[in-house]
Amino acid sequence: MLLSAGLGLPVLGVLGAWLALDAGSLATLAHQWQTVLPAYAMQSGLLVLAVGVGVAVLGGATAAAVTLFEFPGRRHFEWALLLPLALPAYVLAYAGTDALQFSGPLQTALREWTGSSRPFWPDVRSLWGAVILFVISLYPYVYLLARTALGVQAAPMMEAARMLGAPLKRRILEVALPMARPALAAGVALALMETLADYGVGAYFGLSTFTTGIYKAWLVLDDRIAAAQLASMLLLLVGLLLWAEQRAQSRLRFASARPAAVGAVEARPVALRGAGLLGAWLVCGLPVLAGFVLPVVWLLRLLWQEAQASDTPVFVPEYLARFADWAWVSFKLASLAGVLAVGFALLLAFAMRRAQGRKAWGLRAAARIISLGYAVPGAVVAVGILLWAGLLQQWLPQWGVPMLVTGTVFGLMYAYLVRFSSVALQSVQAGYAAIAPSVDESAQLLGAGAPRTFFSLHLPLLARSSVAAALLVFVDTMKELPATLVLRPFGSDTLAVVAYQFARDERLAEAALPSLAIVAVGLIPVVMLSRALRSR
């Protein structure tokens, strides 16, 4: 329970900054209100509003297409629509900018072909460009939840409405859409939390959002009070989205007079032909092309061009040796985070299984605190950890806490556990749900104590869940940018960090190789998720 409380300290540190308000803090807040805060609030608000509408429309449309209709290629689109999850938004930003910017090869070829000197579309590195990018990258959150809701309940209800004579348009608007509304709301909330937590896209596109403002206040202006105030405002927005997501999840329950599986057998998707078939292909195919296929092909094109150049900085022994170092550092950090998160999740889940009374209530509260960590942006976690480090340095200067936090991997591991322990805990708890309580009762009757029950019975039965949890934490750690950018020790650059630094310096060819490595690792959870959906 103490370890669980420790994972909540960074958030408490950010919120506790308001308890130390003095004249200087109030002056800082007033200065931000007069200068940067309106721009941060406006751009963050517009980004959230536009991305929310976009992911709801695109995710809902793709889910409806593969669930309610039958057309050639539907089975392939069911898993292909998950592929953009493997591509972090900042990697998509690097590839999209290089392809679509004014000086890029696409616009250059169009100007040569038409003889025009004007740009053919607005600048990609703008608010509208970020909106489109986030929608393409994050719609799978909505697609996944809406597809599950439509497949389980809407299909039999649509069939019943058809038998009652309702036309297709009425069945979609009055049956499918209301039943999928909670799933759409939950998916939109998850996508918006990812949007608010992003730093790579905002910094690369030059946006004025709360996340970029936090880093500017801390790293550029060296003002920890301003950073804490901005972090707390961002945390408030995330808290509202988390409340909306949990409220929507609680409504993802429907009653049925007969088992859903029976209704699903009788229900038949509507076969599409002609214009409807073409529309389904476009709705399902364009997000996959824009969100995964084309960006990956473009990054491979950058690598191929560098390989053909005589003065390439990429395919030389020095760069490849550094790439091996970055990959090894990323692998070590991600592996250690996966082992620590899974070990902690196993201990907590085992304690929750055996606890009773007040202890059980306390452990459930601890698990709820941990579950909030994944929703907290990495920027907020980093600021919270550094605030505690500064406070402990004032109280106990002889301990050298700042050196421990930023000079070793301790600070990074702490941030990773705060962010990703909930991922491991959810997977382990799902594994425990498949172990009947009678297993524990039988072990107790045979005289086995708690350690032997855990190591001899539970751990072998939880092997698959533990491996899955470790892989998920591993992948999330490999893609993590904001917290790693602030807390990494000297000489411990990860693939995500160097990809961002190369792209920031407009060295996109050198950013392509680490970006592709991140994408390759990101395919692991997509494959796992696709297999789980097919087996279901």
Side-chain angles (χ1 to χ4, degrees), residues 225-285:
I225 298 298
Q229 291 172 349
L230 292 173
S232 62
M233 296 175 190
L234 178 59
L235 189 61
L236 176 62
L237 291 177
V238 172
L240 292 174
L241 290 173
L242 185 62
W243 171 80
E245 187 268 339
Q246 291 180 345
R247 186 168 181 266
Q249 289 280 11
S250 66
R251 297 169 58 193
L252 286 174
R253 298 180 179 91
F254 301 94
S256 180
R258 55 183 176 175
V262 176
V265 171
E266 298 178 359
R268 291 291 180 268
V270 179
L272 294 179
R273 295 179 180 85
L277 174 60
L278 179 60
W281 280 345
L282 290 176
V283 167
C284 296

Side-chain angles (χ1 to χ4, degrees), residues 123-364:
D123 186 14
V124 177
R125 296 170 70 165
S126 60
L127 182 62
W128 76 267
V131 168
I132 295 176
L133 186 145
F134 279 124
V135 169
I136 295 173
S137 179
L138 300 176
Y139 81 87
Y141 287 104
V142 180
Y143 162 76
L144 191 59
L145 294 178
R147 174 188 163 186
T148 303
L150 290 173
V152 171
Q153 293 290 341
M157 296 300 179
M158 290 272 290
E159 180 67 14
R162 185 191 68 81
M163 295 178 66
L164 291 173
L168 178 60
K169 182 178 180 180
R170 186 178 179 187
R171 297 200 302 268
I172 293 176
L173 296 179
E174 298 185 14
V175 177
L177 184 59
M179 298 189 76
R181 193 176 299 148
L184 290 174
V188 168
L190 290 173
L192 294 185
M193 282 190 280
E194 291 287 342
T195 303
L196 288 174
D198 173 79
Y199 172 73
V201 176
Y204 188 60
F205 280 15
L207 303 182
S208 297
T209 63
F210 279 110
T211 306
T212 58
I214 290 170
Y215 281 86
K216 187 180 297 183
W218 190 282
L219 299 178
V220 179
L221 303 178
D222 195 23
D223 192 336
R224 64 182 184 88
I225 298 298
Q229 291 172 349
L230 292 173
S232 62
M233 296 175 190
L234 178 59
L235 189 61
L236 176 62
L237 291 177
V238 172
L240 292 174
L241 290 173
L242 185 62
W243 171 80
E245 187 268 339
Q246 291 180 345
R247 186 168 181 266
Q249 289 280 11
S250 66
R251 297 169 58 193
L252 286 174
R253 298 180 179 91
F254 301 94
S256 180
R258 55 183 176 175
V262 176
V265 171
E266 298 178 359
R268 291 291 180 268
V270 179
L272 294 179
R273 295 179 180 85
L277 174 60
L278 179 60
W281 280 345
L282 290 176
V283 167
C284 296
L286 290 179
V288 178
L289 284 174
F292 183 80
V293 177
L294 293 180
V296 171
V297 170
W298 197 265
L299 291 174
L300 291 173
R301 172 185 175 275
L302 289 175
L303 281 182
W304 176 257
Q305 287 181 336
E306 286 299 315
Q308 304 303 311
S310 58
D311 57 344
T312 174
V314 176
F315 292 97
V316 295
E318 293 80 4
Y319 178 85
L320 295 178
R322 288 194 298 159
F323 174 77
D325 290 338
W326 302 326
W328 176 240
V329 169
S330 301
F331 178 81
K332 287 191 299 182
L333 292 176
S335 300
L336 182 58
V339 170
L340 292 177
V342 171
F344 175 71
L346 286 169
L347 293 177
L348 180 58
F350 179 70
M352 291 174 62
R353 186 179 177 89
R354 297 178 64 88
Q356 297 178 354
R358 292 185 177 180
K359 186 177 181 181
W361 180 88
L363 289 172
R364 284 196 297 269

Side-chain angles (χ1 to χ4, degrees), residues 13-99:
V14 170
L15 296 176
W18 290 95
L19 299 177
L21 280 178
D22 53 16
S25 301
L26 291 175
T28 300
L29 183 61
H31 177 69
Q32 291 192 91
W33 178 260
Q34 296 172 358
T35 54
V36 298
L37 199 55
Y40 292 160
M42 179 175 293
Q43 287 220 346
S44 297
L46 291 175
L47 193 64
V48 164
L49 181 62
V51 171
V53 173
V55 295
V57 172
L58 185 57
T62 51
V66 300
T67 306
L68 305 179
F69 301 99
E70 179 63 53
F71 55 91
R74 180 173 72 94
R75 297 294 181 186
H76 298 292
F77 281 125
E78 284 182 348
W79 61 264
L81 285 165
L82 297 171
L83 287 175
L85 284 176
L87 201 70
Y90 55 84
V91 174
L92 182 60
Y94 306 155
T97 300
D98 186 65

